[in-house]
Amino acid sequence: MRLKMIFSLIFSVLMCVGVCQVFAEAPTTPKILFTSTRDGNDEVYMMNPDGSEQVNLTQHPTEDFEAAWSPTGEQILFVSDRGGVRDLYVMDADGSNVRRVFKRKIKATKRGPTWSPDGKRFAYVHRDWDRRKFSLHLGRFGEEDVESLPYVGSPAWSPDGSEIVGNVSHALGSRLTFINLDTRDREQPLPDKTLPWQYLPSWSAAGDRLAITGNKHPRPAILDRDLHEAWNDKFTVYLVNRDGTGLRQLVEEAGPDIGVAALSPDGSEVLYAQEINGNEQLFKLDINTGVRTQLTHIGGPFHQANFQGDWFDPAYALPVSPQPDLLTTTWGQLKKE
């Protein structure tokens, strides 16, 4: 009888390990992930799109940042150095059940994770500092082996699953670069003469346009401090169609440079970070009306920062309950249907 009870308990635990993660709860209302230093180190936070209910999800003494929602909103992929080196971790949407993505530890760091639309794969930047080599890797959850892709920085997986976009630096600036995942071909639709610096892309859920951080001014030839700071403050937020047309500057070049821009799933708002009164704060801009809303208001005797936003909206997500027939359907396609 006792052996039967022990077997039953072990079976229940094993079933939970394999199934409970599937039933992790997703937010039922739109939410924004971001990174904040208000606790003395980088931590992953979540808030409502109006800036209310800001909650620390990680609460760990090491650095936790670059959080990205899974397509269903049930899980969050993020970067942490809690294991001694910057690696990829995943947790449930409420910050619980934290686990490393890879069991094998390596010396190189991992940055910039992005989910595939079906939630089965992910891409990230692999940084081997000893060999001074950066590469883009494609991984699958539950597997240790990865695949190398043509390199781009700050990768973002397209909603239809067909390509990954990022930025590639060159002598005169940085170019928005798309990688076709079938052919591995690269495309750079936005020319240098239009915008010399093209960084940090973020997709709309429909996949028809992106928000990027950019600078239309060439880098000064002589980088004295004053000249460099004046040039650096020209980084701002742009909107561009997938084919490189329709480039539109959304925020004026005024004050300190603007950090990572994140487009809302419906494409109507953009989230970005900018320094104000000595601290970096998050702002939300309505693309249609131009109304800007400050979402964070931290302050103190030392510089603090809020940055790296990522949106989730259940209206643009796959159903939370497991449905095998939908697992290979992208969330952008579902919304269009």
Side-chain angles (χ1 to χ4, degrees):
M1 182 68 178
R2 186 176 180 181
L3 287 175
K4 186 176 180 180
M5 291 177 64
I6 293 174
F7 176 79
S8 178
L9 178 61
I10 292 174
F11 179 78
S12 298
V13 170
L14 290 175
M15 285 297 291
C16 186
V17 169
V19 177
C20 289
Q21 291 183 17
V22 176
F23 291 99
E25 293 186 3
T28 57
T29 59
K31 296 289 183 180
I32 291 173
L33 292 174
F34 66 101
T35 302
S36 180
T37 64
R38 68 188 66 179
D39 298 307
N41 64 305
D42 288 359
E43 297 276 13
V44 176
Y45 273 72
M46 179 173 63
M47 66 178 170
N48 294 326
D50 63 0
S52 63
E53 297 183 22
Q54 298 183 17
V55 180
N56 184 342
L57 297 180
T58 48
Q59 299 178 2
H60 198 276
T62 57
E63 304 295 315
D64 302 306
F65 56 102
E66 290 185 343
W69 287 108
S70 69
T72 61
E74 296 167 334
Q75 297 178 327
I76 298 167
L77 189 61
F78 67 103
V79 176
S80 178
D81 59 6
R82 62 185 63 194
V85 65
R86 289 180 171 175
D87 209 339
L88 300 183
Y89 289 77
V90 68
M91 61 182 170
D92 291 348
D94 62 359
S96 64
N97 196 23
V98 179
R99 60 269 189 203
R100 288 181 64 231
V101 172
F102 294 102
K103 294 180 180 179
R104 184 175 64 245
K105 292 185 178 181
I106 58 175
K107 194 174 181 181
T109 63
K110 303 177 181 70
R111 296 289 304 271
T114 180
W115 294 79
S116 66
D118 64 8
K120 297 178 180 179
R121 296 179 294 169
F122 56 95
Y124 64 94
V125 173
H126 177 95
R127 295 182 173 181
D128 188 334
W129 295 104
D130 288 343
R131 294 190 295 173
R132 300 180 182 274
K133 182 180 180 181
F134 290 4
S135 54
L136 182 66
H137 285 179
L138 182 65
R140 185 178 292 272
F141 288 100
E143 299 180 5
E144 294 294 302
D145 293 334
V146 297
E147 179 184 355
S148 293
L149 295 173
Y151 176 74
V152 294
S154 305
W157 211 306
S158 68
D160 67 3
S162 67
E163 58 188 353
I164 290 176
V165 64
N167 44 259
V168 175
S169 298
H170 58 80
L172 300 177
S174 180
R175 292 285 296 276
L176 200 63
T177 304
F178 295 83
I179 301 172
N180 185 300
L181 292 176
D182 288 331
T183 66
R184 299 298 192 264
D185 292 337
R186 299 202 302 181
E187 178 189 358
Q188 297 179 328
L190 195 58
D192 290 338
K193 62 181 180 181
T194 303
L195 192 67
W197 300 89
Q198 309 161 21
Y199 282 109
L200 308 167
S202 170
W203 292 94
S204 67
D208 57 344
R209 55 182 178 172
L210 305 97
I212 61 174
T213 300
N215 191 331
K216 61 186 178 184
H217 304 278
R219 184 196 294 267
I222 302 175
L223 291 180
D224 64 67
R225 182 178 178 84
D226 292 338
L227 193 59
H228 177 70
E229 289 302 320
W231 169 82
N232 198 48
D233 288 348
K234 301 298 183 181
F235 278 95
T236 187
V237 181
Y238 291 83
L239 195 67
V240 64
N241 295 329
R242 162 58 188 87
D243 61 4
T245 64
L247 183 68
R248 174 185 168 193
Q249 184 175 329
L250 298 180
V251 182
E252 294 182 1
E253 298 172 0
D257 67 302
I258 287 176
V260 181
L263 196 58
S264 65
D266 66 4
S268 68
E269 297 176 300
V270 65
L271 183 76
Y272 64 92
Q274 188 172 33
E275 187 176 307
I276 180 172
N277 298 325
N279 294 296
E280 195 170 354
Q281 309 287 6
L282 283 169
F283 294 87
K284 180 179 68 173
L285 179 75
D286 187 304
I287 293 174
N288 297 315
T289 66
V291 173
R292 186 176 87 153
T293 305
Q294 185 173 338
L295 302 181
T296 62
H297 300 81
I298 59 169
F302 304 103
H303 175 81
Q304 297 184 44
N306 300 286
F307 54 105
Q308 294 175 342
D310 189 45
W311 297 73
F312 171 74
D313 187 337
Y316 291 81
L318 287 169
V320 173
S321 58
Q323 298 186 34
D325 60 321
L326 292 181
L327 286 179
T328 57
T329 305
T330 67
W331 57 314
Q333 288 174 333
L334 280 175
K335 187 62 184 177
K336 288 179 180 178
E337 294 173 0

